Amino acid sequence: MAAIDEQEYTKSFDLTIWKRLLPILGRYKKIMVLMLLINSLTAVVDVIIPLFQQYAIRHFIEGKTLDGLPAYVFAYAAAILLEAAMVVGFARRAMHVEMYMGRDMRQDLFRHLQTLSLSFYNVTPVGYLITRVMNDTNRIAANMAWSLTDMAWSLLYILGAFGAMLVLNWRLALVVITVVPVIALLTVYFEPRILHWNRRVRKLNSKITGAFNEGIGGAKTSKTLVIEEQSIGSFRELTGSMRRSAVRASRLNAVYIPLTLFFSSMTVAIVLLQGGYLVVDQVLDIATLSVFVSYAMGIFEPIQALAANLAEFIALQASIERVTGLMDETPKITDTPEVIEKYGDCFDPKRENWEPIRGDIEFKDVTFRYPDGGDNVLEHFSLHIPAGTTVAIVGETGAGKSTLVNLACRFFEPTQGQILIDGQDYRERSQLWLHSSIGYVLQSPHLFSGTVRENIRYGRLDATDEEVEAAARAVSADTVVAKLEKGWDSDVGEGGDRLSTGEKQLISFARAVLADPRIFVLDEATSSIDTQTEQLIQQAIDHLLRDRTSFLIAHRLSTIRKADMILVVRDGKIVEQGTHETLLRAKGYYHDLYSKQFAEENAAKILGA
C-alpha cells in the first residue's frame, strides 16, 4: 500500500471542496456575520468620506467662506472615529475566529486520528500528519478569519465607489469599470498555475517535516553509521525542490498582482486625462473631478487586496484538500452501529454493558490476507486457546509471527471465518471492550513525555501511587527508579530517551501489569533486556501470566519452554504446533531452530567467560 503522502490533488478551483469548510464555519456563524456587517459598514463609511472633500472644495474653497466649518470638522472627525472603532472591533473578532477555529480543526483532526486503524499508521509518514494538523489548519483559520471578510470589504467598497462614480459622471465611470474584465482574464490565466505550484510546496513541506523528524529521531543511528553527509544531501535535495517550487509560485504571484496594479494605475491616468478635458470644457467641476480621482485612486488598494486575497485563496485550496483528505480517511476496522449503540465507542464507552472477559479464544476456519493484497497468510486455520493458556509463537525474523496476535487483538480482522472471544464473535462486541482487556508489551517500547510514575499510570489512570509502585516492584522496574535522581518523579524525556532500552522495557512491563489485563501479549518483550535483568523478571512474568491468556512472541526460545502451546511460523504459515517437548521429539523445524540457538547461546557464554 503506497504511503498516503503520495496522493496527488489536481482539481482546479472547486466550490465543492470549499463547501467542506461550512461545518467548521457554522460554529462561528454569528461572529462571522457580525464581522461581515462591520466590514460592510466600514465600506459604506469609506465610500462616504471622499464626499467630504467635494463639499469642502465647493463650500469652503470655491465659496470662499468658513461658515459651518466647526460642524464640518465634527462630522468628518466622527466618520474617522467610527471607522477606527469598526476596524478595532473587526480585528478583535478576527483574532478570536483565527485562534478558536484553528484549535477546533486541530482537535477534530486529532480526535479523528484516534479512530484510525494501525494499518493507517504503518503507511503514513509522521511529517504528513504534523503538517496537516499544525500548518494547514493554521493557514485555513487565518484565511477564513481575515482574508474572507477582507475580500467582502474590498468587493463592497469597489461596488460602492463604482456606484458613486456612476452618479457623479457615468462616462468617466465606464472608463474605470473597464479594468474589471481585464483583471478577470488575468485571474483565469494565473489561477490554475498558482494552485499547481502551491500544491507542490505543501507536499514537499510534508516531506521535509518528515525528514526533519526522522533525522532527529535517528541521530544516533546516523552518527554510528557515519551517514551524516548522505542525510544532509537528501535533506538539501528536498529543501532545494521546495525552494524551486516556492519561487515558481512566488513568481506567478509577483506577475499577477503587479499586472492588476498596472491596469488600475492606467485607469487612474485615463480618468485624470479625460476628466481634465471635461473640466476645461466646463462639463465637470473641480470638486467632482477631485472626488472622482479619489475614488479611482481609492479603488487601487481594494483591487490590489482583492487580487492578493484571491491568489491566496486559490493557493489555500491545496491546504483544504489535504486537511479534508485526512478527515476522509476511514478506519479499516469498525464496529457496527448496533455494537456502538450497546457498548459505546472509544470516546463514549458504555462500560456498564461490557461483559467480563475470561480470555477463551478460538480461531474458526480463519483465512486472512493483508489489506494491501498478496497471498493468504492463513487459510482455513482453526485453533482453540482455552482461557489461561500461554501460547508461544516462534520463528525467524520476518516469518510473520505477529499476524496471529494482530488477529486475536483485532488490529486486523479475518478475510473469512470467525474469531471467537469467550464463544462470541468479537465483531459483535466493541473494539474498546477487547482492547481494554489486553496488556501489550512491545519489543521497542514507547514512553510518553512525563515522569516515570505518569508513564506507569497510563496502564490504569485511576491507580493510586501505591498501586503504581507495586506494579513496578512486580517486574523489578523499581530498580530503574532507584537509579534516577528524582525517583518516581523523574522525567523520562521525549519518547523515554533519557532511559536505556532495557529500562524503558521495564517501565512498559509495569504499565501492562498495572492494567491487570485478561490477555497478555509479550512481543519479543525481553529481547532488549540483558540476561541478568531477564532472570529478575522471568519469575514475576510466570506469576503474572498465571490464569491469563497469554501470547509470547519469542526471540529467545529458552524463555518459552514452559508455554502450554507453541506455534511455529515459517514464511507466514504455521508449520508446527505443540509443547516444547513434543516439538523437540518431532525433530522438525522447531528442533532445528532450538538447536541452532542453543548452540549460539552456549558459544556466547564461553566467549563471555
Side-chain angles (χ1 to χ4, degrees), residues 11 14-20:
K11 290 184 178 180
D14 188 350
L15 281 177
T16 58
I17 294 173
W18 289 80
K19 287 180 181 178
R20 298 290 302 276

Side-chain angles (χ1 to χ4, degrees), residues 363 378 381-385 389-396 399-405 408 550-554 557 560 563-570 573-580 583 589-590 593:
F363 290 76
L378 294 176
F381 174 75
S382 297
L383 176 69
H384 181 223
I385 304 172
T389 301
T390 298
V391 180
I393 306 173
V394 302
E396 293 181 337
K401 298 189 292 295
S402 298
T403 299
L404 204 66
V405 172
S550 309
F551 292 92
L552 309 180
I553 301 176
L557 301 185
I560 50 91
D564 301 310
M565 183 188 305
I566 298 174
L567 304 177
V568 185
V569 180
R570 186 177 188 181
K573 310 289 185 182
I574 296 175
V575 294
E576 293 178 324
Q577 66 182 70
T579 63
H580 174 70
L583 290 174
Y589 184 60
Y590 177 81
L593 282 177

Side-chain angles (χ1 to χ4, degrees), residues 190-199 252-253 256 311 314-315:
F190 281 98
E191 174 263 321
R193 292 162 178 81
I194 293 172
L195 182 57
H196 167 74
W197 288 105
N198 274 280
R199 280 171 173 155
L252 288 168
N253 276 316
Y256 175 47
I314 291 168

Side-chain angles (χ1 to χ4, degrees), residues 40-55:
S40 300
L41 186 56
T42 304
V44 172
V45 174
D46 285 332
V47 171
I48 292 173
I49 284 177
L51 298 178
F52 282 91
Q53 179 180 328
Q54 182 186 39
Y55 178 84

Side-chain angles (χ1 to χ4, degrees), residues 352-364:
E352 66 275 8
N353 295 333
W354 290 6
E355 296 87 349
I357 292 181
R358 293 184 294 106
D360 186 276
I361 302 174
E362 182 177 359
F363 290 76
K364 198 171 182 181

Side-chain angles (χ1 to χ4, degrees), residues 235-458:
F235 195 76
R236 186 185 296 117
E237 183 178 345
L238 277 175
T239 53
S241 297
M242 181 174 174
R243 179 193 64 81
R244 289 188 292 273
S245 298
V247 167
R248 290 292 297 270
S250 298
R251 282 176 178 170
L252 288 168
N253 276 316
V255 174
Y256 175 47
I257 294 173
L259 279 175
T260 62
L261 302 183
F262 169 77
F263 285 106
S264 300
S265 300
M266 287 295 295
T267 303
V268 173
I270 294 171
V271 167
L272 281 171
L273 179 63
Q274 187 66 28
Y277 285 126
L278 293 175
V279 171
V280 170
D281 294 338
Q282 296 185 344
V283 176
L284 195 70
D285 64 353
I286 292 292
T288 302
L289 178 60
S290 174
V291 174
F292 216 101
V293 171
S294 294
Y295 280 132
M297 295 182 66
I299 282 179
F300 178 86
E301 181 182 347
I303 286 180
Q304 177 186 5
L306 192 61
N309 285 326
L310 188 56
E312 180 62 26
F313 262 69
I314 291 168
L316 185 66
Q317 181 171 307
S319 291
I320 298 173
E321 288 169 332
R322 291 153 68 86
V323 170
T324 56
L326 182 56
M327 288 297 294
D328 288 340
E329 284 293 322
T330 56
K332 305 304 181 195
I333 308 298
T334 57
D335 292 328
T336 64
E338 294 77 15
V339 168
I340 294 175
E341 176 67 26
K342 180 177 180 180
Y343 296 99
D345 57 24
C346 58
F347 300 114
D348 185 25
K350 299 179 181 179
R351 297 180 184 273
E352 66 275 8
N353 295 333
W354 290 6
E355 296 87 349
I357 292 181
R358 293 184 294 106
D360 186 276
I361 302 174
E362 182 177 359
F363 290 76
K364 198 171 182 181
D365 195 29
V366 169
T367 296
F368 174 73
R369 64 175 172 273
Y370 284 100
D372 55 355
D375 298 331
N376 290 335
V377 178
L378 294 176
E379 289 185 351
H380 304 292
F381 174 75
S382 297
L383 176 69
H384 181 223
I385 304 172
T389 301
T390 298
V391 180
I393 306 173
V394 302
E396 293 181 337
T397 301
K401 298 189 292 295
S402 298
T403 299
L404 204 66
V405 172
N406 287 335
L407 285 168
C409 295
R410 206 184 170 190
F411 298 146
F412 292 95
E413 289 181 343
T415 308
Q416 295 176 8
Q418 291 179 304
I419 295 179
L420 311 181
I421 304 291
D422 296 340
Q424 189 82 19
D425 190 326
Y426 66 5
R427 285 172 288 202
E428 296 177 6
R429 307 279 176 84
S430 74
Q431 296 177 70
L432 189 61
W433 166 82
L434 176 60
H435 294 164
S436 63
S437 292
I438 296 174
Y440 211 119
V441 181
L442 297 167
Q443 179 182 5
S444 301
H446 178 80
L447 299 186
F448 299 94
S449 298
T451 66
V452 173
R453 191 189 304 277
E454 289 169 344
N455 268 277
I456 297 176
R457 186 172 276 126
Y458 276 118

Side-chain angles (χ1 to χ4, degrees), residues 148-162:
L148 183 63
T149 48
D150 195 41
M151 287 175 67
W153 170 84
S154 300
L155 187 60
L156 287 171
Y157 177 79
I158 293 169
L159 292 175
F162 277 144

